[in-house]
Amino acid sequence: MHDDFVANLRLLCSYYPSIAEVCRRLTINRAQFNRYLSGRYRPSHAALQRICHFFGVTVEDIALPHHDFRALVQTGQLNREANAATLSWPNALVQRGSEGMERYIGRYFELYHSMSRPGQLMRTLVCLEEREGGVVYQRTERMQTAPGARPCHNRYVGTAVKLADRLFLVDHETLNGHEITQTILFPSFQSQVTRLTGLKIGVADNSERMPCCVRVVYQRLDEQVSLREALAQCGLITLDDPSLDDALIAATRNDVAADEHHFRARH
């Protein structure tokens, strides 16, 4: 069980740029925290509660077998409190907004022009699932600060509803708590959902923290693609990436026509 705790703690830390960053945010001595990571010492009850609260998990969660814990982290199922909070909208709205959402359940690549790295596209992984009478989702960003460096991750959890032929997705960042985003998508009128387009509003993830609005594409993933394979493809990509087609590039272009007075989505 202790080996599982160590492996689970290391996994949670891997979503941050460095162990030093985790220790700074936790205000825990680096040498002491390294003892937890090495398995030499088990945190006291108070320290364990503090660590679990910081990472948004329970004491029972972090003691799970590592294989089970990893699967729960990757699919966002450990964010029970966060997911419950996102479903605290008026019950009538959640219930009405859940009608017709079953066909959108699944995994998507989300693609849009990076708000912090102009000229590049950001590809993230979005997993929508039905839970507790509503549709919740996790969105995972994978960023590599330098070639060969270990990637860091941002995780967002939120709720998705369908109202009057539009899909509304609202989420918040769970690791640092520094951002809320909203996405509005056109629904699909085809027999199979392959791509969804719309607008996304958020904040650039840099010191400028500039509010931005971008066109966004949700690309449905084949069920045979594993989470590991999907996450490996996430991150910043250039516009000449061979995985991009002309229609996708056009759908994410943030131009404004001469006769447009607002920044509008394009179906």
PDB file of all heavy atoms in Angstrom, residues 48-61:
ATOM      1  N   LEU A  48      -0.696  14.622   5.383  1.00  0.00           N
ATOM      2  CA  LEU A  48      -1.397  13.876   4.338  1.00  0.00           C
ATOM      3  C   LEU A  48      -2.678  14.597   3.931  1.00  0.00           C
ATOM      4  O   LEU A  48      -3.004  14.695   2.738  1.00  0.00           O
ATOM      5  CB  LEU A  48      -1.702  12.463   4.826  1.00  0.00           C
ATOM      6  CG  LEU A  48      -2.398  11.538   3.825  1.00  0.00           C
ATOM      7  CD1 LEU A  48      -1.544  11.358   2.573  1.00  0.00           C
ATOM      8  CD2 LEU A  48      -2.693  10.184   4.463  1.00  0.00           C
ATOM      9  N   GLN A  49      -3.418  15.107   4.909  1.00  0.00           N
ATOM     10  CA  GLN A  49      -4.638  15.854   4.602  1.00  0.00           C
ATOM     11  C   GLN A  49      -4.312  17.087   3.760  1.00  0.00           C
ATOM     12  O   GLN A  49      -5.039  17.421   2.823  1.00  0.00           O
ATOM     13  CB  GLN A  49      -5.325  16.276   5.906  1.00  0.00           C
ATOM     14  CG  GLN A  49      -5.908  15.130   6.705  1.00  0.00           C
ATOM     15  CD  GLN A  49      -7.238  14.650   6.144  1.00  0.00           C
ATOM     16  OE1 GLN A  49      -7.757  15.198   5.181  1.00  0.00           O
ATOM     17  NE2 GLN A  49      -7.794  13.617   6.741  1.00  0.00           N
ATOM     18  N   ARG A  50      -3.229  17.739   4.104  1.00  0.00           N
ATOM     19  CA  ARG A  50      -2.815  18.942   3.373  1.00  0.00           C
ATOM     20  C   ARG A  50      -2.444  18.613   1.938  1.00  0.00           C
ATOM     21  O   ARG A  50      -2.813  19.320   0.995  1.00  0.00           O
ATOM     22  CB  ARG A  50      -1.613  19.527   4.112  1.00  0.00           C
ATOM     23  CG  ARG A  50      -1.159  20.886   3.665  1.00  0.00           C
ATOM     24  CD  ARG A  50      -0.215  21.368   4.731  1.00  0.00           C
ATOM     25  NE  ARG A  50       0.685  22.388   4.267  1.00  0.00           N
ATOM     26  CZ  ARG A  50       1.762  22.749   4.932  1.00  0.00           C
ATOM     27  NH1 ARG A  50       2.071  22.131   6.053  1.00  0.00           N
ATOM     28  NH2 ARG A  50       2.523  23.712   4.477  1.00  0.00           N
ATOM     29  N   ILE A  51      -1.708  17.527   1.738  1.00  0.00           N
ATOM     30  CA  ILE A  51      -1.305  17.106   0.394  1.00  0.00           C
ATOM     31  C   ILE A  51      -2.523  16.736  -0.435  1.00  0.00           C
ATOM     32  O   ILE A  51      -2.656  17.143  -1.598  1.00  0.00           O
ATOM     33  CB  ILE A  51      -0.317  15.925   0.490  1.00  0.00           C
ATOM     34  CG1 ILE A  51       1.030  16.390   1.056  1.00  0.00           C
ATOM     35  CG2 ILE A  51      -0.122  15.270  -0.873  1.00  0.00           C
ATOM     36  CD1 ILE A  51       1.974  15.262   1.408  1.00  0.00           C
ATOM     37  N   CYS A  52      -3.432  15.973   0.160  1.00  0.00           N
ATOM     38  CA  CYS A  52      -4.622  15.540  -0.577  1.00  0.00           C
ATOM     39  C   CYS A  52      -5.503  16.724  -0.950  1.00  0.00           C
ATOM     40  O   CYS A  52      -6.037  16.788  -2.067  1.00  0.00           O
ATOM     41  CB  CYS A  52      -5.409  14.525   0.249  1.00  0.00           C
ATOM     42  SG  CYS A  52      -4.602  12.915   0.411  1.00  0.00           S
ATOM     43  N   HIS A  53      -5.644  17.669  -0.022  1.00  0.00           N
ATOM     44  CA  HIS A  53      -6.452  18.856  -0.324  1.00  0.00           C
ATOM     45  C   HIS A  53      -5.835  19.645  -1.476  1.00  0.00           C
ATOM     46  O   HIS A  53      -6.547  20.136  -2.361  1.00  0.00           O
ATOM     47  CB  HIS A  53      -6.564  19.735   0.920  1.00  0.00           C
ATOM     48  CG  HIS A  53      -7.327  21.002   0.685  1.00  0.00           C
ATOM     49  ND1 HIS A  53      -8.702  21.042   0.549  1.00  0.00           N
ATOM     50  CD2 HIS A  53      -6.904  22.288   0.551  1.00  0.00           C
ATOM     51  CE1 HIS A  53      -9.095  22.281   0.332  1.00  0.00           C
ATOM     52  NE2 HIS A  53      -8.028  23.060   0.332  1.00  0.00           N
ATOM     53  N   PHE A  54      -4.507  19.756  -1.483  1.00  0.00           N
ATOM     54  CA  PHE A  54      -3.820  20.501  -2.537  1.00  0.00           C
ATOM     55  C   PHE A  54      -4.054  19.868  -3.909  1.00  0.00           C
ATOM     56  O   PHE A  54      -4.337  20.560  -4.891  1.00  0.00           O
ATOM     57  CB  PHE A  54      -2.320  20.545  -2.235  1.00  0.00           C
ATOM     58  CG  PHE A  54      -1.488  21.150  -3.338  1.00  0.00           C
ATOM     59  CD1 PHE A  54      -1.480  22.512  -3.563  1.00  0.00           C
ATOM     60  CD2 PHE A  54      -0.713  20.345  -4.164  1.00  0.00           C
ATOM     61  CE1 PHE A  54      -0.723  23.071  -4.582  1.00  0.00           C
ATOM     62  CE2 PHE A  54       0.051  20.884  -5.184  1.00  0.00           C
ATOM     63  CZ  PHE A  54       0.050  22.253  -5.390  1.00  0.00           C
ATOM     64  N   PHE A  55      -3.958  18.543  -3.991  1.00  0.00           N
ATOM     65  CA  PHE A  55      -4.098  17.854  -5.272  1.00  0.00           C
ATOM     66  C   PHE A  55      -5.550  17.548  -5.624  1.00  0.00           C
ATOM     67  O   PHE A  55      -5.831  17.046  -6.718  1.00  0.00           O
ATOM     68  CB  PHE A  55      -3.293  16.554  -5.272  1.00  0.00           C
ATOM     69  CG  PHE A  55      -1.804  16.753  -5.375  1.00  0.00           C
ATOM     70  CD1 PHE A  55      -0.971  16.428  -4.316  1.00  0.00           C
ATOM     71  CD2 PHE A  55      -1.237  17.265  -6.530  1.00  0.00           C
ATOM     72  CE1 PHE A  55       0.404  16.606  -4.413  1.00  0.00           C
ATOM     73  CE2 PHE A  55       0.132  17.449  -6.635  1.00  0.00           C
ATOM     74  CZ  PHE A  55       0.959  17.117  -5.567  1.00  0.00           C
ATOM     75  N   GLY A  56      -6.486  17.817  -4.725  1.00  0.00           N
ATOM     76  CA  GLY A  56      -7.894  17.587  -5.028  1.00  0.00           C
ATOM     77  C   GLY A  56      -8.298  16.126  -5.001  1.00  0.00           C
ATOM     78  O   GLY A  56      -9.176  15.711  -5.761  1.00  0.00           O
ATOM     79  N   VAL A  57      -7.646  15.331  -4.136  1.00  0.00           N
ATOM     80  CA  VAL A  57      -7.999  13.917  -3.992  1.00  0.00           C
ATOM     81  C   VAL A  57      -8.295  13.642  -2.521  1.00  0.00           C
ATOM     82  O   VAL A  57      -8.057  14.483  -1.656  1.00  0.00           O
ATOM     83  CB  VAL A  57      -6.860  12.990  -4.478  1.00  0.00           C
ATOM     84  CG1 VAL A  57      -6.553  13.247  -5.938  1.00  0.00           C
ATOM     85  CG2 VAL A  57      -5.599  13.177  -3.630  1.00  0.00           C
ATOM     86  N   THR A  58      -8.812  12.454  -2.223  1.00  0.00           N
ATOM     87  CA  THR A  58      -9.067  12.068  -0.846  1.00  0.00           C
ATOM     88  C   THR A  58      -7.959  11.150  -0.360  1.00  0.00           C
ATOM     89  O   THR A  58      -7.174  10.612  -1.150  1.00  0.00           O
ATOM     90  CB  THR A  58     -10.415  11.339  -0.719  1.00  0.00           C
ATOM     91  OG1 THR A  58     -10.324  10.077  -1.409  1.00  0.00           O
ATOM     92  CG2 THR A  58     -11.550  12.161  -1.331  1.00  0.00           C
ATOM     93  N   VAL A  59      -7.922  10.942   0.949  1.00  0.00           N
ATOM     94  CA  VAL A  59      -6.945  10.023   1.531  1.00  0.00           C
ATOM     95  C   VAL A  59      -7.169   8.612   0.994  1.00  0.00           C
ATOM     96  O   VAL A  59      -6.213   7.866   0.738  1.00  0.00           O
ATOM     97  CB  VAL A  59      -7.054  10.050   3.075  1.00  0.00           C
ATOM     98  CG1 VAL A  59      -6.162   8.980   3.696  1.00  0.00           C
ATOM     99  CG2 VAL A  59      -6.680  11.426   3.609  1.00  0.00           C
ATOM    100  N   GLU A  60      -8.424   8.240   0.807  1.00  0.00           N
ATOM    101  CA  GLU A  60      -8.731   6.913   0.259  1.00  0.00           C
ATOM    102  C   GLU A  60      -8.262   6.803  -1.191  1.00  0.00           C
ATOM    103  O   GLU A  60      -7.743   5.761  -1.621  1.00  0.00           O
ATOM    104  CB  GLU A  60     -10.238   6.639   0.331  1.00  0.00           C
ATOM    105  CG  GLU A  60     -10.780   6.482   1.745  1.00  0.00           C
ATOM    106  CD  GLU A  60     -10.917   7.808   2.477  1.00  0.00           C
ATOM    107  OE1 GLU A  60     -10.923   8.877   1.803  1.00  0.00           O
ATOM    108  OE2 GLU A  60     -11.014   7.792   3.717  1.00  0.00           O
ATOM    109  N   ASP A  61      -8.423   7.884  -1.960  1.00  0.00           N
ATOM    110  CA  ASP A  61      -7.993   7.877  -3.364  1.00  0.00           C
ATOM    111  C   ASP A  61      -6.498   7.606  -3.485  1.00  0.00           C
ATOM    112  O   ASP A  61      -6.068   6.753  -4.264  1.00  0.00           O
ATOM    113  CB  ASP A  61      -8.294   9.226  -4.033  1.00  0.00           C
ATOM    114  CG  ASP A  61      -9.772   9.457  -4.264  1.00  0.00           C
ATOM    115  OD1 ASP A  61     -10.516   8.473  -4.387  1.00  0.00           O
ATOM    116  OD2 ASP A  61     -10.175  10.632  -4.327  1.00  0.00           O
TER     117      ASP A  61
END
